């Protein structure tokens, strides 16, 4: 459905590029997680898809047509729900929805029906007459999402929709996003919360410094890296053992209570455990094989998502 090839974008000539050759394929009907730390380029990328910025290099296609042409043919097919609150705080919830329905060219019975559906989707009916600026953080996010859905878009771009919300609203928003997918929408979801992306999305791309580091189904991305053995220990292994393991497994990491051994094979496990026991160290937990997205990100960048 959405195909990006070699996209580049630079805000200022003296700055590094915000996007540096990004290629992505977002299948129709997928919940696609765009994961990356602050400043990775996520907002820039979805601003290009939303048409707020024009690519300086590369191409973007939507349903097989150049994006600009697809947008002219179907102006309401793609909607952006931005990170910032995109409504008028002094208007009520209902007035905001009526206003944005009008902005998107909806009128008469269709506008009433879409506003009703958006209120119901965001479970905002009982707040319809409340000034938007007086809503809680979570309700403001729900209103943002409801406005994005007014014109019944096919592709919804959600930029960090759960930042700054209470756990209950976060839960509500994540369920609502799942519902959108069930209703056949395509959703691109940017986040630096890897647990959310892991719980929600079946397609994932990890971006950093304006580049896509890895993309594919969640299962592919998690499997894409060599297995890591993680041992939680009662104390660090002796220096001689650490040196021997590091020689066999470059990239081995040791901290006060854990050892991470990249590239260890399943066949090696008994020997490694025997060496540890001989050195007087007792592992109290052991993990092997599949990693989570945070670990994949750390392996690819040597940094944490929150650095
Ligand atoms: N309007 C702007 N002018 C100049 N530089 C910008 C502008 N907007 C973003 N940048 C820079 O472009 C890079 C990518 O920013 P972008 O907002 O796309 O990242 P992001 O992954 O969405 O981060 P965040 O999670 O913090 O929103 C960053 O280095 C950022 O400082």
């Amino acid at each position: 459905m959405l195909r990006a090839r070699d996209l580049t974008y630079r805000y200022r000539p003296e700055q590094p590029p915000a996007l540096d050759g990004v290629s992505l394929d977002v299948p129709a009907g997928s919940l696609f997680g765009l994961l990356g730390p602050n400043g990775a380029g996520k907002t820039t990328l979805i601003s290009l898809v939303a048409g707020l910025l024009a690519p300086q290099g590369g191409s973007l296609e939507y349903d097989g047509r150049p994006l600009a042409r697809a947008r002219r043919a179907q102006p309401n097919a793609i909607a952006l729900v931005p990170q910032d609150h995109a409504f008028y705080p002094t208007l009520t919830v209902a007035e905001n929805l009526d206003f944005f329905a009008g902005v998107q060219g909806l009128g008469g019975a269709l506008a009433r029906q879409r506003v009703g559906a958006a209120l119901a989707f965001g479970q905002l009916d009982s707040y319809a007459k409340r000034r938007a600026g007086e809503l809680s953080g979570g309700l403001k996010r729900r209103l943002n999402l409801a406005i994005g859905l007014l014109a019944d878009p096919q592709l919804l771009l959600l930029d960090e929709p759960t930042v700054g919300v209470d756990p209950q609203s976060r839960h509500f928003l994540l369920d609502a996003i799942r519902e959108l997918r069930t209703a056949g929408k395509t959703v691109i979801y940017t986040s630096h919360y890897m647990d959310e992306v892991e719980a929600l999305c079946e397609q994932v791309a990890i971006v950093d410094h304006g580049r896509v580091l890895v993309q594919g189904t969640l299962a592919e991305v998690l499997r894409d890296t060599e297995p890591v053995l993680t041992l939680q220990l009662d104390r660090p292994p002796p220096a001689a053992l650490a040196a021997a393991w590091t020689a066999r497994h470059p990239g081995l990491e040791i901290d006060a209570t854990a050892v991470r051994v990249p590239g260890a094979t399943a066949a090696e496990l008994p020997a490694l455990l025997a060496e540890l026991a001989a050195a007087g160290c007792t592992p109290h937990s052991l993990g092997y094989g599949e990693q989570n997205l945070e670990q994949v990100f750390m392996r690819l960048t040597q940094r944490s998502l929150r650095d």
Side-chain angles (χ1 to χ4, degrees):
M1 159 183 263
L2 184 77
R3 187 179 140 95
R5 286 294 171 273
D6 225 7
L7 285 179
T8 56
Y9 194 87
R10 195 187 287 266
Y11 287 92
R12 298 207 183 92
E14 71 278 10
Q15 280 181 348
L19 298 180
D20 189 11
V22 166
S23 297
L24 275 184
D25 288 288
V26 180
S30 63
L31 225 167
F32 191 100
L34 200 55
L35 183 70
N38 290 329
K42 306 181 296 293
T43 301
T44 306
L45 180 55
I46 63 168
S47 299
L48 292 180
V49 177
L52 299 178
L53 299 173
Q56 294 163 350
S59 64
L60 261 172
E61 281 179 11
Y62 180 75
D63 275 352
R65 293 192 275 194
L67 185 71
R69 206 184 316 151
R71 192 190 314 286
R72 278 196 297 278
Q74 296 171 274
N76 290 334
I78 302 176
L80 169 69
V81 177
Q83 214 168 334
D84 300 325
H85 298 138
F87 48 73
Y88 292 100
T90 53
L91 297 184
T92 66
V93 167
E95 286 165 348
N96 267 294
L97 287 167
D98 287 340
F99 173 78
F100 285 103
V103 167
Q104 295 184 57
L106 305 173
L110 179 60
R112 281 195 296 282
Q113 185 248 321
R114 294 300 314 158
V115 167
L119 276 173
F121 185 85
Q123 289 183 13
L124 288 163
D125 299 82
S126 49
Y127 304 97
K129 294 194 173 130
R130 194 82 79 73
R131 273 182 207 271
E134 292 165 8
L135 298 174
S136 67
L139 288 171
K140 283 177 178 157
R141 288 273 163 206
R142 280 151 67 167
L143 176 57
N144 239 20
L145 180 60
I147 290 170
L149 286 169
L150 276 170
D152 200 19
Q154 292 163 1
L155 170 61
L156 200 62
L157 309 167
L158 304 181
D159 198 2
E160 307 251 8
T162 58
V163 164
V165 305
D166 58 278
Q168 198 189 345
S169 288
R170 182 174 186 242
H171 200 71
F172 172 87
L173 285 163
L174 297 181
D175 278 350
I177 293 162
R178 280 193 196 95
E179 231 176 89
L180 291 172
R181 185 186 171 274
T182 309
K185 309 277 180 212
T186 307
V187 180
I188 300 182
Y189 179 93
T190 84
S191 183
H192 58 270
Y193 297 130
M194 57 97 199
D195 55 333
E196 277 185 8
V197 171
E198 222 167 302
L200 263 187
C201 304
E202 71 270 13
Q203 294 277 331
V204 180
I206 299 182
V207 290
D208 191 29
H209 296 308
R211 291 173 170 272
V212 176
L213 301 180
V214 61
Q215 68 175 304
T217 65
L218 180 63
E220 283 165 356
V221 169
L222 293 177
R223 234 187 289 121
D224 196 30
T225 47
E226 58 185 343
V228 173
L229 167 67
T230 306
L231 297 155
Q232 302 288 339
L233 302 173
D234 52 355
R235 60 196 146 106
L241 184 61
W245 281 13
T246 304
R248 275 170 9 221
H249 296 284
L252 176 127
E253 293 164 24
I254 299 179
D255 62 32
T257 56
V259 182
R260 288 167 40 82
V261 191
T265 63
E268 275 177 276
L269 289 182
L272 290 170
L273 291 174
E275 283 176 83
L276 261 188
C281 287
T282 311
H284 52 79
S285 102
L286 181 156
Y288 181 73
E290 200 167 84
Q291 303 175 48
N292 63 28
L293 283 174
E294 174 87 41
Q295 290 166 327
V296 172
F297 181 81
M298 282 182 74
R299 275 182 54 75
L300 293 170
T301 64
Q302 316 304 322
R303 291 187 294 120
S304 151
L305 269 166
R306 279 170 288 277
D307 277 355

